[in-house]
Amino acid sequence: MKKINYFSLCILALFSCKNKSAESENIERKISQQPNILFICVDDLRPELGCYGSEYIHSPNIDELAQTGAVFTNHFVSIPTCGASRSSLLTGMYPRTKGHLSNEAIHKLISGKPETEAPETFIHHLRRNGYYTVGIGKISHYADGLLYGYTDSVGSELELPHSWDEMLFDPGKWETGWNAFFGYADGENRQSLNRQVAPYEKGDVEDIGYPDGLTANLALSKLAELAQKKQPFFLGVGFFKPHLPFNAPAKYWDLYKEEDLPLSPNPAIPANVHKASLHASGEFNGYRLGDEQASLEGPVSDAYARKLRHAYFACISYVDAQVGKLLGELDELGLAENTVVVLWGDHGWHLGDQLVWGKHTIFERALKSAFIVRVPGMTTGQTVNRVVSTVDIYPTLMDLCEVAMPHVTDGRSMLPFLGDKPAEWDDEAFGYFRNGISLRTDRYRLSKYFRQEEPVIELYDHLTDPHETKNIAAEHPEVIEKLMPVWEKGNTGLYEK
């Protein structure tokens, strides 16, 4: 009897081992089939690219990505400042407190929290689910992912300690991430020169003469390593340009004829709007050797506006070239067929629009940014005109990677749009800044401010006024009445705390 029992136990053990082996094989098979993700963050990239209809922009590599991707023409960030926008991206959440509106949002509210709590970011969640995660450059707020001040020595504490298997950066001749972020071709930076610098530079250097060229090269090396891994990877690459200062190698400036570049189509404060909705371009004016100062009292000269737009566009072309290197390496390594590529601008930028040179408003120019997704075998070069938000990126990536979402975000999966399939969708996105909350629908922008200065409600009809030149709230109370319940959905109470 004992022999029979022993024999039976052996059979059961063998059967159990086979089951476990099969289960392990299934897990390994699923991991091997999950797509890699190349996530490219571009600082201050408004949707002014060839694939968005701006034929005067030289962006051939991003345009090529768009030909096999999905171009979202109405993508809006939640908060028009770098750190807060990235916090919203990474957590999939709209701001709940004023602290969420700060560039220090991740540092103050996420960094250093226990790993056992809810995922600090979607990258952390992917890492928990078998992904090997690498960050290069500016993915969160800090330029190299390490916590330290602009003029301090390089820090040792990660801004996102649980998200990364590796966090990398090559500061080159600038020595620190923040020096590189504000770097000039001679190795100096805005801080070392006490802001006695121009907000642009045409450098007589090759791509590696500015930091983004070094970031691209580092990413190329890392891609070659990741191609050898048996587990799926997430590679985040954060490029600095076209963030101020507008510095780029001369060859990218030479792609443009300055005199032919268009000026802003709305270079004035909108009618029926208080100046409190805008700002005096303080970040831009902090570059003290600029040719002219920006002001809400009147525009800079057309000549200077064209020079600045020339500089910004040169930076776009410089970054476009770096993006092209990454896409080319994906092809070369045979990774393109199983790698989702996302290109995301962390917010827009006023290039003299509404008299502003900068972000930090809840107008269209500051909240609307570039967003392109390429999914092998799914996207076909389609254009998606539905209104989407940065908070929608988190659940979309989880769907694409077949990773469960055990917690709730404010976002919705955009997966049906990537397959060019019809979907039930509420066209709404919310933006927060300057004591205001803005709702964007497929036709209107409705903004309400929590302040003393009147008017506190602004309404723009994008069907008749796509550049937001006139607030028509007083003329259309019926539209306000219809939209206000939708606006309330985005009122998280942050201005009431």
Side-chain angles (χ1 to χ4, degrees), residues 268-381:
I269 296 176
N272 309 321
V273 167
H274 196 280
K275 290 180 181 179
S277 299
L278 301 163
H279 61 80
S281 307
E283 180 185 13
F284 171 78
N285 288 333
Y287 291 78
R288 294 171 183 157
L289 297 187
D291 301 17
E292 303 173 26
Q293 293 281 291
S295 168
L296 292 180
E297 302 308 312
V300 301
S301 68
D302 287 355
Y304 191 40
R306 280 198 172 89
K307 178 183 287 187
L308 293 170
R309 291 169 72 84
H310 186 179
Y312 180 90
F313 297 159
C315 288
I316 288 178
S317 295
Y318 172 47
V319 167
D320 176 80
Q322 311 318 305
V323 171
K325 294 173 186 177
L326 300 187
L327 299 178
E329 188 70 359
L330 282 181
D331 289 334
E332 186 71 22
L333 295 169
L335 292 171
E337 63 185 20
N338 192 41
T339 299
V340 173
V341 179
V342 180
L343 184 135
W344 175 76
D346 66 348
H347 43 68
W349 220 82
H350 293 251
L351 285 171
D353 313 293
Q354 287 112 344
L355 291 181
V356 172
W357 293 87
K359 53 256 191 184
H360 299 152
T361 78
I362 52 174
F363 284 87
E364 188 90 348
R365 280 302 193 188
L367 291 170
K368 193 173 190 177
S369 76
F371 179 48
I372 302 169
V373 183
R374 185 177 76 186
V375 183
M378 185 176 291
T379 54
T380 57

Side-chain angles (χ1 to χ4, degrees), residues 474-495:
E475 302 169 30
H476 292 281
E478 77 285 356
V479 178
I480 303 294
E481 183 179 5
K482 180 180 178 180
L483 292 180
M484 193 54 72
V486 184
W487 179 94
E488 285 289 355
K489 290 168 61 178
N491 183 6
T492 60
L494 80 163
Y495 296 120

Side-chain angles (χ1 to χ4, degrees), residues 48-352:
E48 196 161 4
L49 300 160
C51 56
Y52 281 90
S54 300
E55 296 180 355
Y56 48 88
I57 299 292
H58 294 266
S59 52
N61 297 292
I62 296 175
D63 296 345
E64 184 176 348
L65 172 67
Q67 290 174 7
T68 52
V71 178
F72 287 79
T73 62
N74 283 304
H75 164 262
F76 299 92
V77 302
S78 308
I79 308 153
T81 193
C82 300
S85 178
R86 291 162 189 260
S87 175
S88 184
L89 162 78
L90 293 167
T91 62
M93 300 300 290
Y94 285 128
R96 260 63 179 180
T97 70
K98 290 182 180 178
H100 287 114
L101 303 180
S102 166
N103 278 334
E104 295 297 313
I106 296 174
H107 178 196
K108 299 298 184 183
L109 302 171
I110 300 178
S111 302
K113 295 293 188 296
E115 187 172 10
T116 54
E117 295 183 6
E120 59 182 9
T121 68
F122 69 74
I123 303 167
H124 181 200
H125 193 47
L126 288 172
R127 188 181 181 215
R128 283 176 163 182
N129 285 273
Y131 273 74
Y132 191 82
T133 61
V134 181
I136 300 176
K138 189 179 178 186
I139 309 300
S140 47
H141 174 61
Y142 284 73
D144 50 10
L146 297 169
L147 297 173
Y148 61 100
Y150 285 171
T151 59
D152 295 343
S153 300
V154 176
S156 59
E157 182 183 354
L158 284 169
E159 188 176 6
L160 296 172
H162 308 308
S163 289
W164 303 115
D165 286 298
E166 298 181 62
M167 186 68 217
L168 309 170
F169 185 67
D170 181 358
K173 56 193 170 188
W174 298 276
E175 298 184 349
T176 77
W178 283 126
N179 287 349
F181 188 72
F182 298 107
Y184 289 75
D186 62 359
E188 295 288 353
N189 62 84
R190 186 188 70 177
Q191 298 85 264
S192 66
L193 296 174
N194 196 29
R195 296 180 178 264
Q196 299 301 312
V197 287
Y200 58 85
E201 181 180 70
K202 181 179 181 179
D204 188 17
V205 293
E206 294 302 315
D207 286 5
I208 59 171
Y210 288 113
D212 283 342
L214 297 176
T215 293
N217 285 355
L218 188 56
L220 296 180
S221 298
K222 184 52 61 175
L223 272 173
E225 293 179 27
L226 293 173
Q228 304 304 313
K229 285 192 170 292
K230 294 183 178 179
Q231 67 187 113
F233 65 79
F234 174 93
L235 175 60
V237 182
F239 291 118
F240 295 162
K241 297 306 160 195
H243 193 286
L244 282 168
F246 300 152
N247 298 347
K251 61 183 175 182
Y252 299 107
W253 286 70
D254 294 343
L255 294 171
Y256 300 90
K257 289 185 178 180
E258 191 170 292
E259 62 274 16
D260 294 338
L261 295 177
L263 294 170
S264 169
N266 56 336
I269 296 176
N272 309 321
V273 167
H274 196 280
K275 290 180 181 179
S277 299
L278 301 163
H279 61 80
S281 307
E283 180 185 13
F284 171 78
N285 288 333
Y287 291 78
R288 294 171 183 157
L289 297 187
D291 301 17
E292 303 173 26
Q293 293 281 291
S295 168
L296 292 180
E297 302 308 312
V300 301
S301 68
D302 287 355
Y304 191 40
R306 280 198 172 89
K307 178 183 287 187
L308 293 170
R309 291 169 72 84
H310 186 179
Y312 180 90
F313 297 159
C315 288
I316 288 178
S317 295
Y318 172 47
V319 167
D320 176 80
Q322 311 318 305
V323 171
K325 294 173 186 177
L326 300 187
L327 299 178
E329 188 70 359
L330 282 181
D331 289 334
E332 186 71 22
L333 295 169
L335 292 171
E337 63 185 20
N338 192 41
T339 299
V340 173
V341 179
V342 180
L343 184 135
W344 175 76
D346 66 348
H347 43 68
W349 220 82
H350 293 251
L351 285 171

